[in-house]
């Protein structure tokens, strides 16, 4: 499992670095924001070369609830989009808004666009994070595949989402060019995914136990059994 996470992290590193180079070249031709680069070397197992202590957990619900549920998801994962636009809405109504659980969302990165979307989602702070996340998933098929996955086209679509969320252009530019934050987020993903034995997305950790994607009925049964009823 640790080897798999290291491979996934390496894939994300290479993919994001490649997107950065392509985006930088494209920017000189069309004034688009370049994709943020990520760390290009991996620390030894068990070590972290980057300080991730200040990465903020994005949470909803009741932090003092008896049940904590963590979702691991990628903004470019179709199954994650299906969960967000479907079962998540019911989960929010039944368990999050009622304060029965503490819900935490953690990003997983498989490619450059996923990191870039994460930088955008976190740009406006925790108050708007989940609203931007909803927008990203609702329009995933549009922005993630824009222009045949062209960095310039994806940049333009993500900027539209940022503006729709009320961010100004300068703030969007600054967030999406934040190389240090991109490096930190990839490292954070690697450490957390290894710790919680994440093998696919979406995955869920409920009171410390990891589960793969499931129906809402099965999720509800697990949450209730854990004490969220």
């Amino acid at each position: 499992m640790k080897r798999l996470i290291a491979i996934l992290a390496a894939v994300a590193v290479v993919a994001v670095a490649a997107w950065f180079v392509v985006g930088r070249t494209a920017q000189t031709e069309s004034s688009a924001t370049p994709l943020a680069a990520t760390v290009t070397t991996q620390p030894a197992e068990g070590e972290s070369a980057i300080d991730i202590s200040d990465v903020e957990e994005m949470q909803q619900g009741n932090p003092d609830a008896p049940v904590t549920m963590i979702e691991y998801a990628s903004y470019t994962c179709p199954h994650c989009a299906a969960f967000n636009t479907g079962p998540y809405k019911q989960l929010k109504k039944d368990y999050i808004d009622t304060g029965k659980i503490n819900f935490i969302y953690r990003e997983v990165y498989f490619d450059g666009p996923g990191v870039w979307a994460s930088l955008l989602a976190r740009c406006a702070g925790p108050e708007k994070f989940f609203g931007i996340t909803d927008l990203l998933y609702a329009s995933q098929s549009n922005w993630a595949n824009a222009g045949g996955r062209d960095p310039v086209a994806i940049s333009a679509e993500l900027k539209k989402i940022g503006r729709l969320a009320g961010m100004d252009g300068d703030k969007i530019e600054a967030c999406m060019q934040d190389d240090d934050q991109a490096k930190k987020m990839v490292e954070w993903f690697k450490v957390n995914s290894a710790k919680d034995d994440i093998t696919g997305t979406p995955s869920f950790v409920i009171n410390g136990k990891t589960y793969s994607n499931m129906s809402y009925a099965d999720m509800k049964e697990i949450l209730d059994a854990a004490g969220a009823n």
Side-chain angles (χ1 to χ4, degrees):
M1 180 59 229
K2 291 182 179 179
R3 175 177 170 76
L4 175 59
I5 292 300
I7 291 172
L8 291 179
V11 169
V13 165
V14 173
V16 179
W19 276 73
F20 173 70
V21 172
V22 174
R24 178 73 71 183
T25 302
Q27 185 196 28
T28 63
E29 300 171 353
S30 62
S31 300
T33 304
L35 287 162
T38 58
V39 63
T40 56
T41 57
Q42 295 300 309
E45 184 174 316
E47 299 177 357
S48 179
I50 300 173
D51 182 11
I52 59 174
S53 61
D54 63 344
V55 175
E56 187 169 5
E57 292 279 20
M58 295 300 176
Q59 304 182 66
Q60 289 181 309
N62 176 13
D64 297 319
V67 176
T68 293
M69 175 179 174
I70 305 171
E71 177 190 2
Y72 281 87
S74 167
Y75 287 119
T76 56
C77 159
H79 294 294
C80 300
F83 174 77
N84 179 267
T85 57
Y88 166 75
K89 306 303 183 188
Q90 194 65 45
L91 176 75
K92 189 172 186 300
K93 177 183 177 182
D94 294 344
Y95 293 94
I96 298 174
D97 291 346
T98 57
K100 293 180 179 179
I101 67 171
N102 179 34
F103 179 81
I104 298 172
Y105 180 95
R106 290 180 180 170
E107 300 97 302
V108 172
Y109 306 120
F110 297 117
D111 49 31
V115 178
W116 208 4
S118 176
L119 292 174
L120 179 70
R122 287 175 172 266
C123 189
E127 299 81 11
K128 291 189 175 182
F129 175 82
F130 285 98
I132 296 174
T133 291
D134 288 345
L135 291 174
L136 286 167
Y137 279 129
S139 59
Q140 182 193 82
S141 60
N142 181 37
W143 66 263
N145 299 303
R149 292 178 61 83
D150 173 66
V152 175
I154 291 176
S155 167
E157 294 302 321
L158 286 174
K159 286 178 183 178
K160 289 179 185 177
I161 293 172
R163 290 193 294 271
L164 185 62
M167 289 185 283
D168 63 47
D170 289 343
K171 186 173 183 65
I172 294 171
E173 293 285 346
C175 288
M176 293 175 69
Q177 295 187 62
D178 193 340
D179 296 353
D180 290 339
Q181 182 67 11
K183 295 174 185 177
K184 186 177 295 186
M185 294 309 301
V186 170
E187 181 70 7
W188 183 75
F189 140 70
K190 186 185 70 173
V191 170
N192 283 325
S193 295
K195 179 184 66 177
D196 286 330
D197 195 26
I198 304 303
T199 59
T201 56
S203 289
F204 308 96
V205 181
I206 300 174
N207 278 3
K209 185 174 180 180
T210 300
Y211 300 86
S212 58
N213 196 14
M214 66 185 84
S215 68
Y216 181 68
D218 289 341
M219 180 177 291
K220 189 176 187 303
E221 184 176 342
I222 293 170
L223 290 171
D224 288 346
N229 55 356

